[in-house]
């Protein structure tokens, strides 16, 4: 089956005050694939990620030009409902950020906000979300316990389950393993592989080995520009740009 594009940018530029943080970024993100964004610190990876669900709107003095589309719809259109956009494009942050509530209420929070209040439906959705996040078997007997009592890796999978509970199409992950140990990292990486059956995943990572392991496509960014983007095997083994090769082989960055 041919790959279809779910998210795309065209000549995307972003300024924080006078800083030109993203410069003419044009890329396509294929549906039901994992796309990794790599590059040195400060190159614009996380800024680009936050463009996809308009989290940059929450920061003052930001100017954006160009176009971003989700399912061929311009996300900056005046008719775009940002709440609905962020339901479709969920975000998992660098450090686990569970709410100071029970495990159950962490997962049920989003669906309740969107109008689901029937307990049987919530029960089913909580279980389904935790199963999809590979956490159900570890927490099913303590759903009323505080989420803050979970380990770091479990908290991050809980945050993924919380994102899944509102039915996204795309899951953005901003260095989701940087605060985790190797065992917890392996569980998250295995989970990412499972998630792409039903979702599109875009992950920012400093860890090039992780990008090579988990992603189908990779974009290399440097100083606010997308230097190149393509299938991960090609980017890592036969990059078109010398800058990409220098970064991947450790000559800078």
């Amino acid at each position: 089956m041919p790959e279809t594009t779910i998210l795309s940018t065209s000549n995307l530029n972003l300024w924080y005050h006078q800083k030109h943080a993203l410069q003419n970024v044009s890329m396509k993100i294929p549906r039901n694939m994992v796309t990794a964004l790599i590059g040195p610190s400060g190159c614009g990876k996380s800024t680009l990620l936050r463009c996809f669900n308009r989290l940059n709107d929450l920061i003052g003095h930001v100017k954006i030009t160009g176009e971003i589309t989700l399912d061929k719809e311009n996300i900056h259109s005046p008719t775009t409902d940002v709440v609905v956009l962020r339901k479709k494009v969920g975000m998992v942050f660098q450090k686990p950020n569970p709410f100071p509530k029970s495990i159950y209420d962490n997962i049920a929070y989003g669906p309740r906000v969107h109008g689901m209040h029937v307990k049987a439906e919530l029960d089913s959705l909580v279980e389904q979300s935790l199963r999809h996040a590979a956490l159900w078997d570890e927490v099913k007997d303590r759903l009323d316990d505080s989420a803050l009592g979970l380990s770091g890796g479990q908290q991050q999978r809980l945050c993924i389950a919380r994102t899944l509970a509102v039915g996204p199409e795309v899951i953005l992950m901003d260095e989701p393993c940087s605060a985790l140990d190797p065992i917890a990292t392996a569980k998250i990486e295995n989970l990412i592989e499972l998630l792409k059956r039903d979702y599109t995943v875009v992950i920012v990572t400093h860890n090039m080995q992780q990008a090579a392991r988990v992603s189908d496509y990779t974009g290399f960014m440097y100083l606010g520009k997308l230097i190149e983007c393509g299938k991960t095997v090609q980017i890592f083994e036969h990059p078109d740009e010398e800058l990409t090769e220098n970064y991947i082989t450790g000559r800078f960055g």
Side-chain angles (χ1 to χ4, degrees):
M1 247 173 70
E3 291 162 6
T4 58
T5 298
I6 185 168
L7 264 174
S8 69
T9 69
S10 178
N11 296 318
L12 179 65
N13 287 269
L14 181 145
W15 290 263
Y16 294 121
H17 294 280
Q18 302 302 313
K19 177 179 168 58
H20 197 177
L22 294 176
Q23 301 177 36
N24 297 312
V25 174
S26 296
M27 72 181 302
K28 294 180 178 179
I29 292 175
R31 188 183 299 273
N32 293 109
M33 296 281 175
V34 180
T35 299
L37 298 174
I38 63 171
S41 295
C43 69
K45 305 184 297 293
S46 293
T47 297
L48 177 59
L49 198 71
R50 290 195 298 268
C51 285
F52 293 136
N53 65 351
R54 289 183 51 177
L55 276 186
N56 290 315
D57 290 12
L58 305 175
I59 303 170
H61 305 287
V62 169
K63 177 187 172 186
I64 296 174
T65 64
E67 187 176 71
I68 306 170
T69 62
L70 172 67
D71 293 323
K72 299 181 180 176
E73 298 285 331
N74 183 351
I75 71 168
H76 287 101
S77 161
T79 59
T80 298
D81 183 329
V82 179
V83 173
V84 173
L85 173 67
R86 291 180 187 147
K87 184 174 181 283
K88 288 182 178 178
V89 185
M91 175 76 91
V92 176
F93 294 94
Q94 188 169 355
K95 291 183 180 174
N97 59 341
F99 302 143
K101 299 173 178 286
S102 70
I103 294 168
Y104 183 100
D105 285 339
N106 263 267
I107 308 302
Y109 181 84
R112 284 174 176 148
V113 167
H114 291 284
M116 182 184 287
H117 297 291
V118 178
K119 188 174 186 306
E121 292 178 3
L122 284 168
D123 288 350
S124 175
L125 187 59
V126 167
E127 178 176 345
Q128 177 187 334
S129 301
L130 287 167
R131 283 189 184 279
H132 278 183
L135 190 57
W136 174 253
D137 288 339
E138 295 170 46
V139 302
K140 62 185 178 184
D141 298 324
R142 48 184 177 134
L143 296 178
D144 293 330
D145 291 0
S146 170
L148 302 179
L150 297 173
S151 70
Q154 288 174 325
Q155 286 186 10
Q156 193 64 302
R157 280 182 284 147
L158 179 76
C159 293
I160 293 170
R162 190 174 68 197
T163 300
L164 300 181
V166 295
E169 295 180 41
V170 180
I171 302 168
L172 309 176
M173 296 186 170
D174 194 355
E175 301 214 40
C177 303
S178 65
L180 305 180
D181 62 42
I183 292 173
T185 294
K187 288 186 176 182
I188 297 290
E189 289 184 2
N190 290 338
L191 175 56
I192 290 169
E193 178 69 24
L194 296 173
L195 288 174
K196 73 177 183 183
R197 297 176 189 172
D198 301 300
Y199 309 94
T200 300
V201 179
V202 186
I203 179 172
V204 163
T205 178
H206 272 112
N207 185 326
M208 283 187 287
Q209 289 77 21
Q210 181 174 75
R213 285 192 300 265
V214 306
S215 69
D216 303 289
Y217 286 79
T218 295
F220 168 60
M221 298 189 68
Y222 184 64
L223 297 179
K225 297 178 180 178
L226 181 68
I227 305 302
E228 67 177 302
C229 186
K231 290 192 174 180
T232 296
V233 171
Q234 181 252 316
I235 294 291
F236 276 85
E237 295 182 4
H238 306 288
D240 292 333
E241 302 294 332
E242 184 179 0
L243 201 57
T244 310
E245 183 169 3
N246 287 344
Y247 182 70
I248 285 170
T249 55
R251 292 189 195 128
F252 80 92

